[in-house]
PDB file of all heavy atoms in Angstrom:
ATOM      1  N   ASN A  57      34.742  13.082 -24.386  1.00 91.00           N
ATOM      2  CA  ASN A  57      33.753  12.185 -23.799  1.00 91.00           C
ATOM      3  C   ASN A  57      34.140  10.727 -24.006  1.00 91.00           C
ATOM      4  O   ASN A  57      33.283   9.858 -24.169  1.00 91.00           O
ATOM      5  CB  ASN A  57      32.373  12.441 -24.413  1.00 91.00           C
ATOM      6  CG  ASN A  57      32.340  12.098 -25.899  1.00 91.00           C
ATOM      7  OD1 ASN A  57      33.324  12.294 -26.605  1.00 91.00           O
ATOM      8  ND2 ASN A  57      31.215  11.592 -26.373  1.00 91.00           N
ATOM      9  N   ASN A 239      20.325   6.539 -23.419  1.00 95.00           N
ATOM     10  CA  ASN A 239      21.295   7.591 -23.743  1.00 95.00           C
ATOM     11  C   ASN A 239      22.054   8.113 -22.533  1.00 95.00           C
ATOM     12  O   ASN A 239      23.045   8.844 -22.682  1.00 95.00           O
ATOM     13  CB  ASN A 239      20.601   8.758 -24.451  1.00 95.00           C
ATOM     14  CG  ASN A 239      20.143   8.394 -25.849  1.00 95.00           C
ATOM     15  OD1 ASN A 239      20.569   7.377 -26.408  1.00 95.00           O
ATOM     16  ND2 ASN A 239      19.270   9.206 -26.424  1.00 95.00           N
ATOM     17  N   ASN A 241      23.496   6.001 -20.547  1.00 97.00           N
ATOM     18  CA  ASN A 241      24.547   5.005 -20.379  1.00 97.00           C
ATOM     19  C   ASN A 241      25.809   5.391 -21.145  1.00 97.00           C
ATOM     20  O   ASN A 241      25.784   6.267 -22.017  1.00 97.00           O
ATOM     21  CB  ASN A 241      24.076   3.638 -20.904  1.00 97.00           C
ATOM     22  CG  ASN A 241      23.151   2.927 -19.935  1.00 97.00           C
ATOM     23  OD1 ASN A 241      22.954   3.373 -18.804  1.00 97.00           O
ATOM     24  ND2 ASN A 241      22.590   1.815 -20.370  1.00 97.00           N
ATOM     25  N   GLY A 242      26.891   4.717 -20.826  1.00 97.00           N
ATOM     26  CA  GLY A 242      28.105   4.786 -21.615  1.00 97.00           C
ATOM     27  C   GLY A 242      28.318   3.454 -22.311  1.00 97.00           C
ATOM     28  O   GLY A 242      27.670   2.444 -21.991  1.00 97.00           O
ATOM     29  N   ILE A 267      33.119   5.349 -24.160  1.00 97.00           N
ATOM     30  CA  ILE A 267      32.584   6.600 -24.683  1.00 97.00           C
ATOM     31  C   ILE A 267      31.211   6.843 -24.060  1.00 97.00           C
ATOM     32  O   ILE A 267      30.472   5.893 -23.779  1.00 97.00           O
ATOM     33  CB  ILE A 267      32.517   6.550 -26.233  1.00 97.00           C
ATOM     34  CG1 ILE A 267      32.133   7.905 -26.812  1.00 97.00           C
ATOM     35  CG2 ILE A 267      31.629   5.433 -26.732  1.00 97.00           C
ATOM     36  CD1 ILE A 267      32.363   8.000 -28.315  1.00 97.00           C
ATOM     37  N   TRP A 268      30.878   8.097 -23.803  1.00 96.00           N
ATOM     38  CA  TRP A 268      29.622   8.437 -23.141  1.00 96.00           C
ATOM     39  C   TRP A 268      29.063   9.734 -23.704  1.00 96.00           C
ATOM     40  O   TRP A 268      29.693  10.387 -24.542  1.00 96.00           O
ATOM     41  CB  TRP A 268      29.808   8.524 -21.621  1.00 96.00           C
ATOM     42  CG  TRP A 268      30.805   9.550 -21.159  1.00 96.00           C
ATOM     43  CD1 TRP A 268      30.553  10.829 -20.744  1.00 96.00           C
ATOM     44  CD2 TRP A 268      32.229   9.376 -21.059  1.00 96.00           C
ATOM     45  NE1 TRP A 268      31.711  11.458 -20.398  1.00 96.00           N
ATOM     46  CE2 TRP A 268      32.757  10.600 -20.574  1.00 96.00           C
ATOM     47  CE3 TRP A 268      33.101   8.319 -21.332  1.00 96.00           C
ATOM     48  CZ2 TRP A 268      34.126  10.790 -20.364  1.00 96.00           C
ATOM     49  CZ3 TRP A 268      34.461   8.505 -21.118  1.00 96.00           C
ATOM     50  CH2 TRP A 268      34.964   9.735 -20.637  1.00 96.00           C
ATOM     51  N   ASN A 269      27.859  10.109 -23.257  1.00 96.00           N
ATOM     52  CA  ASN A 269      27.139  11.270 -23.794  1.00 96.00           C
ATOM     53  C   ASN A 269      26.957  11.136 -25.309  1.00 96.00           C
ATOM     54  O   ASN A 269      27.250  12.054 -26.079  1.00 96.00           O
ATOM     55  CB  ASN A 269      27.865  12.576 -23.458  1.00 96.00           C
ATOM     56  CG  ASN A 269      27.843  12.884 -21.981  1.00 96.00           C
ATOM     57  OD1 ASN A 269      26.982  12.398 -21.248  1.00 96.00           O
ATOM     58  ND2 ASN A 269      28.802  13.671 -21.525  1.00 96.00           N
ATOM     59  N   ILE A 270      26.461   9.970 -25.721  1.00 96.00           N
ATOM     60  CA  ILE A 270      26.243   9.691 -27.131  1.00 96.00           C
ATOM     61  C   ILE A 270      24.875   9.042 -27.314  1.00 96.00           C
ATOM     62  O   ILE A 270      24.300   8.499 -26.377  1.00 96.00           O
ATOM     63  CB  ILE A 270      27.324   8.730 -27.695  1.00 96.00           C
ATOM     64  CG1 ILE A 270      27.378   7.441 -26.852  1.00 96.00           C
ATOM     65  CG2 ILE A 270      28.686   9.409 -27.761  1.00 96.00           C
ATOM     66  CD1 ILE A 270      28.178   6.339 -27.475  1.00 96.00           C
ATOM     67  N   GLU A 271      24.371   9.093 -28.530  1.00 97.00           N
ATOM     68  CA  GLU A 271      23.150   8.383 -28.892  1.00 97.00           C
ATOM     69  C   GLU A 271      23.455   7.152 -29.736  1.00 97.00           C
ATOM     70  O   GLU A 271      22.679   6.197 -29.727  1.00 97.00           O
ATOM     71  CB  GLU A 271      22.202   9.315 -29.650  1.00 97.00           C
ATOM     72  CG  GLU A 271      21.674  10.471 -28.805  1.00 97.00           C
ATOM     73  CD  GLU A 271      20.672  11.324 -29.553  1.00 97.00           C
ATOM     74  OE1 GLU A 271      20.380  11.006 -30.737  1.00 97.00           O
ATOM     75  OE2 GLU A 271      20.166  12.300 -28.971  1.00 97.00           O
TER      76      GLU A 271
END
Side-chain angles (χ1 to χ4, degrees):
N57 65 325
N239 290 345
N241 282 352
I267 187 167
W268 60 96
N269 292 337
I270 55 168
E271 294 184 0

